Amino acid sequence: MTLIAQRLQTIRSALPAGVTLVAVSKTYGAEQVQEAYDAGQRDFGENRVQELETKAHILPADCRWHLIGHLQSNKVRFIAPYVHLIHSVDSLALLKEISKQAVKCGRTIDCLLQMHIALEETKYGMNEDELFGLLHVCAGAPLPNVRIRGLMGMATFTDDQVRIRQEFVALKNCFTRAKNKYFAHDSDFDQLSMGMSSDWQIAVEVGSTLVRIGSSIFGTR
Ligand SMILES: *Cc1c(COP(=O)(O)O)cnc(C)c1O
């Protein structure tokens, strides 16, 4: 068994049923991604459109590609025909563009709304007011061919486990409020993307349904 296969197995065996492992392949080569594929991995995450495109063309067609990084509106059309889930929607304008491109492709695109939960200023994402503002508009005039599946967030990059847990709990609570207010009768709003190599165990304890793990699978970047 290869090292990548071993690491995948270790992580998978620790994940509760219902939690999806997204292997974050950004910066790693296609051979390493293929190695993970050969070990049964199908969900892969990239944070740049160009790199996602390159790998999607090389890797087998049944890979499920997740866009986890900031997405510019003018790049949506490149991935619209095949992207599995966009984790990083943080504006109504972007969601509208995804809807437009999804209509053109004749498919429905699953999206997560990215929340800013960390202390760092540089990270993308919305606060709760912005989230509810967006959801209010969408509830009044639903956008065609996009399905809002849940929320995504990144905790502060810190060793402080208490702080990380608090941030994940805040995101989970925000998810629950959004669910109760706008998706009480919509079973599609069921995904909470949180947890990376350094903090996925905490995220899973708090209720993550999608963990995005790179370096613990592929090695240090
Ligand atoms: C890079 C990245 C990850 C994975 O990070 P690791 O520390 O390598 O597990 C997860 N989520 C996002 C948004 C990323 O950009």
Side-chain angles (χ1 to χ4, degrees), residues 24 26 28 46-47 68-69 114 152 154 157 195-198 211-217 219 221:
V24 177
K26 69 182 188 207
Y28 303 104
E46 289 284 340
N47 67 339
I68 62 171
Q114 183 174 355
M152 180 271 230
M154 283 166 90
F157 187 70
M196 309 173 32
S197 289
S198 55
V211 289
R212 312 176 309 269
I213 301 180
S215 49
S216 289
I217 297 169
R221 266 181 211 99

Side-chain angles (χ1 to χ4, degrees), residues 60-76:
D62 63 339
C63 289
R64 293 182 288 267
W65 293 99
H66 298 243
L67 196 280
I68 62 171
H70 181 65
L71 177 59
Q72 286 171 277
S73 288
N74 61 1
K75 303 241 171 98
V76 174

Side-chain angles (χ1 to χ4, degrees), residues 55-104:
K55 284 180 191 148
H57 283 108
I58 300 173
L59 274 292
D62 63 339
C63 289
R64 293 182 288 267
W65 293 99
H66 298 243
L67 196 280
I68 62 171
H70 181 65
L71 177 59
Q72 286 171 277
S73 288
N74 61 1
K75 303 241 171 98
V76 174
R77 63 196 163 97
F78 297 115
I79 57 170
Y82 63 91
V83 70
H84 179 67
L85 177 64
I86 300 174
H87 293 231
S88 46
V89 178
D90 63 0
S91 73
L92 185 60
L94 177 58
L95 194 61
K96 282 182 176 167
E97 177 62 16
I98 295 169
S99 168
K100 184 177 146 192
Q101 297 300 332
V103 168
K104 272 193 191 169

